[in-house]
């Protein structure tokens, strides 16, 4: 992690506000698009879900309890249970406080201070149809004695569709190539390594990109890349959902979907950085564990 010269406090505060405003705007745009998809479901899948109304997001605010700072922050959970999405959450949180002594040793920029500020958006979608791929996307900005961006997006199909894999990676590659010649190769490889259930010896899905500690020395460029990751996901994932949401599914496919959700759950509880960060910093457990599917199974 490289770093530009320390910015004045006023500039740091302006950057925090801009990052938080963007994550909030992106959440609203994602939620709006997912609700539009809920209204579009027709045909056989709509008939089998005749008593399931089109979903709408329910918003639940939460506050962080930390007397060590004047404003410890909190977040807003946005969760929807619907016809297309059995569960989808798009949460934004803005928190501040101090790391525990042990956890601070794992975080850059805590040599002189244990204080932190963090804001980010976390999205996890668990579609009802096994043919619609589950997906995850997260982008965040963190400030300690240093500052950086992180995030990424990955796809976790139940029923493999090669065109989905191709189009999802192509969209991410185009975005990465706009910002750095080596971004896609680095961040796609990082995703393959990160989104991997080591205890199972198997990947969580078909990958995507993952990046962390992004501080190129140009805050504006790093922020622009992070915004574009979110916008790329906003474009490509709804297209994949609409591609498959009218396809009928079998009970055998549904059973396999619940099995794969079990594998997804294992990753998020054992390896996921966001889960660990949220729990270690006193986040709302319901918001931190929003990523877990509504139903899953194990053999």
């Amino acid at each position: 992690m490289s770093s530009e010269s320390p910015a004045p406090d006023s500039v740091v505060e302006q950057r925090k506000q801009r990052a938080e405003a963007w994550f909030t705007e992106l959440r609203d745009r994602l939620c709006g698009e997912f609700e539009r998809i809920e209204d579009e479901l027709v045909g056989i899948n709509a008939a089998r879900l005749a008593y399931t109304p089109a979903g709408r997001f329910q918003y639940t605010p939460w506050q962080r309890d930390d007397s060590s700072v004047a404003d410890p922050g909190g977040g807003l959970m946005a969760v929807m249970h619907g016809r297309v999405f059995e569960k989808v959450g798009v949460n934004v949180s803005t928190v501040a406080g101090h790391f525990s002594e042990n956890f601070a040793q794992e975080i850059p920029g805590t040599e002189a201070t244990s204080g932190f500020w963090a804001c980010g958006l976390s999205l996890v979608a668990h579609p009802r149809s096994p043919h619609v791929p589950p997906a995850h996307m997260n982008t965040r900005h963190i400030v300690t004695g240093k500052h950086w961006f992180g995030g990424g997006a990955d796809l976790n199909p139940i029923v493999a569709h090669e065109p989905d894999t191709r189009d999802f990676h192509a969209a991410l590659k185009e975005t990465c190539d706009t910002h750095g010649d080596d971004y896609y190769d680095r961040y796609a490889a990082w995703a393959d390594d990160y989104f991997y259930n080591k205890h199972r010896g198997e990947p969580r899905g078909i990958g995507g990109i993952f990046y962390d500690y992004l501080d190129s020395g140009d805050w504006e460029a790093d922020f622009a890349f992070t915004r574009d990751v979110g916008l790329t996901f906003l474009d490509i994932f709804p297209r994949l959902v609409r591609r498959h949401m009218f396809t009928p599914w079998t009970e055998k496919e549904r059973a396999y979907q619940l099995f794969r959700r079990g594998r997804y759950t294992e990753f998020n509880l054992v390896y996921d950085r966001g889960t660990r960060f949220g729990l270690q910093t006193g986040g709302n457990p319901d918001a931190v564990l929003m990523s877990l599917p509504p139903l899953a199974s194990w053999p």
Side-chain angles (χ1 to χ4, degrees):
M1 176 190 292
S2 63
S3 183
E4 62 192 65
S5 300
D9 289 346
S10 60
V11 173
V12 173
E13 291 304 314
Q14 290 173 3
R15 290 173 173 177
K16 290 178 180 178
Q17 292 172 14
R18 289 175 60 196
E20 182 176 12
W22 165 246
F23 295 137
T24 300
E25 176 186 341
L26 180 59
R27 177 202 62 209
D28 293 344
R29 293 173 68 174
L30 287 161
C31 290
E33 184 66 11
F34 292 162
E35 288 185 350
R36 282 189 286 274
I37 288 173
E38 283 286 310
D39 290 334
E40 294 170 8
L41 184 65
V42 296
I44 188 170
N45 289 343
R48 79 197 299 175
L49 297 170
Y51 299 104
T52 303
R56 290 294 181 266
F57 279 92
Q58 301 298 312
Y59 296 87
T60 305
W62 61 274
Q63 292 294 316
R64 186 168 170 275
D65 184 14
D66 185 347
S67 60
S68 71
V69 291
D71 183 8
L76 186 67
M77 297 175 56
V79 178
M80 178 172 71
H81 301 276
R83 297 152 64 91
V84 178
F85 297 100
E86 192 165 8
K87 178 184 179 183
V88 57
V90 191
N91 293 353
V92 171
S93 62
T94 303
V95 297
H98 294 272
F99 294 120
S100 67
E101 183 177 349
N102 288 337
F103 193 50
Q105 296 175 15
E106 304 177 26
I107 307 297
T110 57
E111 297 81 6
T113 175
S114 62
F116 72 89
W117 176 94
C119 182
L121 176 149
S122 180
L123 178 152
V124 175
H126 294 290
R128 195 174 293 274
S129 168
H131 291 274
V132 178
H136 156 262
M137 190 272 289
N138 166 266
T139 50
R140 57 192 176 271
H141 183 37
I142 299 177
V143 179
T144 59
K146 298 181 179 180
H147 58 79
W148 66 90
F149 289 92
D154 66 295
L155 206 63
N156 302 270
I158 307 301
V159 178
H161 294 282
E162 179 55 34
D164 292 356
T165 300
R166 181 192 64 229
D167 294 347
F168 187 73
H169 277 275
L172 292 173
K173 184 177 188 302
E174 181 177 1
T175 294
C176 288
D177 289 349
T178 300
H179 292 271
D181 292 340
D182 65 342
Y183 273 21
Y184 177 75
D185 289 342
R186 286 170 53 197
Y187 298 153
W190 199 344
D192 289 342
D193 181 67
Y194 177 64
F195 296 114
Y196 191 81
N197 269 329
K198 299 178 178 63
H199 62 288
R200 297 287 188 182
E202 63 185 26
R204 190 174 84 170
I206 56 88
I209 61 170
F210 178 83
Y211 66 102
D212 208 356
Y213 310 123
L214 177 61
D215 175 14
S216 67
D218 185 338
W219 189 92
E220 293 291 347
D222 298 341
F223 185 35
F225 173 65
T226 296
R227 291 197 307 270
D228 282 351
V229 169
L231 290 172
T232 298
F233 184 88
L234 175 61
D235 173 65
I236 185 61
F237 181 60
R239 286 197 275 134
L240 301 183
V241 173
R242 290 183 169 100
R243 184 179 291 178
H244 299 293
M245 71 186 204
F246 304 105
T247 304
W249 68 85
T250 67
E251 291 306 312
K252 183 178 180 180
E253 289 170 331
R254 172 65 169 173
Y256 185 64
Q257 177 191 49
L258 298 183
F259 168 75
R260 290 306 308 170
R261 284 180 177 178
R263 294 292 202 255
Y264 189 96
T265 299
E266 290 179 13
F267 177 89
N268 279 32
L269 293 179
V270 176
Y271 302 112
D272 187 76
R273 292 188 184 192
T275 300
R276 189 156 189 268
F277 185 92
L279 295 177
Q280 288 282 347
T281 56
N284 181 334
D286 290 332
V288 174
L289 299 175
M290 171 276 294
S291 62
L292 300 184
L295 294 171
S297 67
W298 284 264

